[in-house]
Amino acid sequence: MTGTGGEEMGAQAARSRALAVLRVRSRALAVALLPAAVAVVLLVGGATGRLPGTGWDAARWAVSVLAVLVLLAAAAVALVVARARPAATPTVTIAEESAPDLYRMVRDLADRLDVPAPSAIALTPDCDSWLEDRTHPAHGPPPAPRRTDPAVPGGHARPRGAAAPVLVIGSPFLWWMRVGELRAVLAPVVAGTGPSAHPDIAAARRFIRGLDAAVAVASAGRRNPLSRAACAGLARVCRLLLRGCRVHAAQMERGVASAAAERAQAVDYGLRIAAQEQVGLAYAGWDRLLTRVALPAWRMGRWPSRLDVGVVAALTELSRRDRLAEGFASRLGERPACDLLEEPGAMDEAVSLLTARLFHGGPETGPDWSPVDWDEYPEEVVDRTWRTDAARLHRVLDTLGVRRTAEEDTAPGTEGPTLARVLDHLTVPTDGPGAAPGMASAGGPGTLPGATPAVGPGAPPHTAPTDDPGTLPGTASTDGPIDPSRTAPAPQATPHPPTDGAPAPGDTTAPGDTPAPGDTPTHPEDDDDLGGTTTRGAALAAGLSAQLAREEAAAQRAGAGTAAPATPAATAGAAGPDAALWDDGALPLLPLQPPRSGREILTAHITAMVCCAAMDTAGATPGLDWLDGPSLLFDGARAADLAPSVLSLVETGDPGPLRHWMTELGIRPEKPVRLV
């Protein structure tokens, strides 16, 4: 549906709403000038003798002082709004010489839609595409135009020197979609440059972005009472203006989107329907790849250098498993959209590094943060993670006073770490009073020598484990698509330092006591994190949480003042993340997972110990599943039914299901394992 003169109805609605936003700005200016206008009238009346008397003189002085104060305040607000740095999505800018085919496709699309071409193209680790205005000086100089932009539809020519918005493309689209599908998906996005170039819409957007940035400035600038008062006033005025613009701004954006969709209907409309199916598939595969595959590597100080290649593998596997996606594999014979890049490998590495910084906060300071290829992932990430967790588990058992039993196969005078030690400690005794085997006589299950911070607010920022068997402990999938560009910066969870002499959470046993026969799971009233575990499990979980907190605090102290190492992409001069678009102190912008509870940490460490025993005594190997992350393999096949068996031990103290599972696979819990 179009309006008069071939204009889209959506464009007309967007311009009318933009004028409404600008009227809010004009009203605010009028309110600021009103005291000055009254002061001028009073001063002129006094000068001409029409308003004589002491009363009018007092009014002139009072109104004049008020006018000066209001003008100064208005000027300060206007200055902050104009100079505040608007939020911008962290991206990897694609230079035209590194992707001439991609720029050519986008410009041909803009010509066909009769709209201005985007000024630049950038990639973001997200399953979305949009236009972003980066004309603010804080975002860097705009790219030089390569050709004369066409006139803006609707009779308005683009002002000289005004840069078109930047086209931001989700990197998973570029690797998973075919060229035709990418063109169909980008058509309505590129069509939005037409309405965006209208002077009224552009001015309204600048005003709203300035107000939003000013609110952020006011929130961050409260250091002393005077500045707090000034920032509070600034924030109050800006929020008042934003409330006045809210409805009109939302309707304006809907109008712009409607106009873009109307204009793009004639371009690849049939293909766009099939391409939208690929968008939904990309959301699912990208989410699982980040939370179940990339996150374990980031925790180990390694970042997968080919995330977009990994998402292709994950989506191919998802298509193979999903009956509804059986026909999607046939599209893999068509030309992928990443062929539009001259060096897709270097671009993939730059986007992978940006992904790690946005979702995890890397690169970490220190020598261990380095890229990892997919063929090295099982050994460098999976095996190392399991053995590190198993070593931490045994260190905490040592702290709790749980003795190590020397095995027959160990060298004389040595005591190797075994899975049997863990099973004996967590097994609930049922045949008589006393502690389970493996406990030292000097302390009970809840006794933790030294400091133990509370689990909960002080828990380290790790994620909950998935119940999927064979996956790496501590990985889990989020429930929806990930969109860092639409999320405000979130504060990163910081582990609290241990407090000397603090008792372990959930510790209901006094030092030296032993659990009564038939020890049942405890549900501490003061800490829900340790609910659903036995008394010994709660003490062990508290010790693991404390150890994790200490390790992270030590890593932060060791990394303070250490510069991050140069990445291969930066060393080779390849494209890298646009560092000017975000503040490193605010990273990660979007942490993937909430902190783990104590019970989840305990479950993850026991599972890691079982996997180590399986690798060292039964010939199992670490593996990588593209959809479920790190996995335990027996003869090339994933092990199943591990998670329920571990949960039975953690929640009820019953090792029977886990011992039965290990017996079937030939795992020897009494044999020592290799740790790191």
Side-chain angles (χ1 to χ4, degrees):
M1 180 176 180
T2 59
T4 59
E7 281 190 82
E8 296 86 357
M9 293 296 295
Q12 295 179 358
R15 285 197 289 273
S16 65
R17 292 293 182 170
L19 292 175
V21 171
L22 296 178
R23 281 195 292 270
V24 173
R25 184 183 66 178
S26 300
R27 293 191 190 103
L29 179 60
V31 171
L33 294 177
L34 181 60
V38 175
V40 169
V41 171
L42 293 177
L43 291 174
V44 172
T48 58
R50 295 181 178 272
L51 299 175
T54 56
W56 287 110
D57 291 338
R60 276 190 286 271
W61 276 104
V63 174
S64 298
V65 172
L66 176 63
V68 171
L69 294 177
V70 171
L71 288 177
L72 290 176
V77 172
L79 183 63
V80 173
V81 171
R83 294 179 60 87
R85 176 181 175 178
T89 306
T91 56
V92 175
T93 299
I94 304 177
E96 184 170 357
E97 54 270 15
S98 64
D101 292 342
L102 179 60
Y103 272 83
R104 189 178 303 111
M105 184 194 76
V106 171
R107 284 172 177 162
D108 291 343
L109 191 59
D111 285 341
R112 186 171 177 181
L113 294 169
D114 193 24
V115 296
S119 60
I121 301 176
L123 293 181
T124 184
D126 187 17
C127 291
D128 199 359
S129 297
W130 64 89
L131 295 172
E132 191 166 288
D133 186 2
R134 294 184 180 174
T135 57
H136 195 274
H139 296 155
R146 300 297 297 265
R147 64 174 189 174
T148 304
D149 288 334
V152 179
H156 296 280
R158 176 178 294 280
R160 290 186 178 272
V166 174
L167 174 62
V168 181
I169 305 175
S171 64
F173 293 167
L174 213 60
W175 267 260
W176 173 245
M177 290 185 173
R178 310 298 101 178
V179 173
E181 294 170 347
L182 181 65
R183 176 185 173 92
V185 168
L186 293 181
V189 182
V190 175
T193 60
S196 298
H198 191 277
D200 294 337
I201 296 177
R205 284 177 166 175
R206 284 195 301 270
F207 178 59
I208 295 172
R209 284 196 304 270
L211 291 175
D212 183 69
V215 171
V217 170
S219 301
R222 304 179 180 183
R223 299 179 180 177
N224 53 65
L226 182 60
S227 64
R228 283 198 298 268
C231 289
L234 172 64
R236 185 180 184 87
V237 172
C238 292
R239 289 194 178 98
L240 179 63
L241 294 176
L242 283 173
R243 283 195 295 269
C245 299
R246 181 182 303 165
V247 175
H248 300 304
Q251 294 297 330
M252 178 184 69
E253 297 301 336
R254 290 193 185 97
V256 170
S258 176
E262 290 181 55
R263 185 169 289 272
Q265 282 183 354
V267 179
D268 301 331
Y269 182 75
L271 185 59
R272 195 179 311 142
I273 298 176
Q276 289 300 325
E277 297 177 354
Q278 303 305 317
V279 171
L281 192 64
Y283 268 116
W286 182 247
D287 176 52
R288 293 177 74 100
L289 183 75
L290 291 184
T291 56
R292 302 195 178 193
V293 178
L295 187 59
W298 294 338
R299 291 198 187 119
M300 296 304 298
R302 309 297 297 273
W303 53 279
S305 59
R306 296 292 186 270
L307 276 180
D308 288 304
V309 171
V311 79
V312 173
L315 292 174
T316 303
E317 178 66 15
L318 183 62
S319 301
R320 185 185 64 82
R321 297 184 188 181
D322 191 350
R323 293 181 179 180
L324 299 177
E326 290 178 355
F328 292 161
S330 61
R331 14 178 326 277
L332 298 180
E334 304 174 12
R335 185 190 182 194
C338 62
D339 281 356
L340 299 173
L341 303 175
E342 291 292 316
E343 297 182 2
M347 198 62 63
D348 192 1
E349 184 174 2
V351 174
S352 300
L353 178 58
L354 175 61
T355 307
R357 302 189 72 181
L358 290 178
F359 292 101
H360 185 69
E364 301 288 353
T365 55
D368 294 334
W369 182 267
S370 59
V372 59
D373 294 331
W374 291 123
D375 56 352
E376 301 173 351
Y377 187 94
E379 289 294 330
E380 296 293 330
V381 175
V382 182
D383 183 85
R384 182 182 170 194
T385 299
W386 285 340
R387 297 190 188 277
T388 300
D389 287 352
R392 183 183 300 111
L393 177 62
H394 280 277
R395 287 197 302 271
V396 174
L397 287 175
D398 291 339
T399 306
L400 287 170
V402 180
R403 65 183 177 88
R404 294 194 181 198
T405 303
E407 303 297 336
E408 296 180 0
D409 295 341
T410 60
T414 63
E415 297 177 351
T418 64
L419 176 59
R421 181 194 191 199
V422 180
L423 298 179
D424 292 343
H425 174 66
L426 292 177
T427 298
V428 172
T430 58
D431 55 352
M439 285 299 298
S441 59
T447 304
L448 180 59
T452 303
V455 180
H462 293 282
T463 58
T466 177
D467 291 336
D468 190 49
T471 57
L472 176 69
T475 58
S477 175
T478 56
D479 295 331
I482 303 170
D483 192 352
S485 64
R486 304 296 188 264
T487 306
Q492 185 178 6
T494 304
H496 291 252
T499 304
D500 293 339
D507 184 4
T508 57
T509 306
D513 291 348
T514 55
D519 190 7
T520 57
T522 60
H523 300 274
E525 296 180 359
D526 57 341
D527 198 337
D528 294 337
D529 283 348
L530 301 180
T533 62
T534 63
T535 304
R536 296 181 177 182
L540 184 55
L544 289 169
S545 300
Q547 181 65 24
L548 281 169
R550 285 192 291 267
E551 290 177 6
E552 293 192 359
Q556 291 177 358
R557 290 193 300 267
T562 304
T567 63
T571 304
D578 301 320
L581 296 181
W582 76 86
D583 181 10
D584 286 350
L587 296 177
L589 294 180
L590 185 61
L592 286 181
Q593 300 291 336
R596 287 187 296 182
S597 67
R599 186 172 69 95
E600 291 165 344
I601 292 174
L602 176 62
T603 303
H605 282 73
I606 294 175
T607 305
M609 185 62 199
V610 173
C611 292
C612 291
M615 292 187 293
D616 291 349
T617 68
T621 57
L624 169 61
D625 186 282
W626 290 111
L627 295 177
D628 296 320
S631 58
L632 184 66
L633 305 180
F634 284 90
D635 297 327
R638 290 182 57 189
D641 302 328
L642 174 57
S645 302
V646 174
L647 288 177
S648 177
L649 175 66
V650 171
E651 295 178 352
T652 66
D654 180 14
L658 183 57
R659 290 187 181 276
H660 178 71
W661 182 85
M662 292 188 296
T663 301
E664 289 184 342
L665 295 175
I667 301 174
R668 303 283 301 276
E670 74 280 1
K671 295 293 183 180
V673 298
R674 177 174 60 87
L675 305 178
V676 294

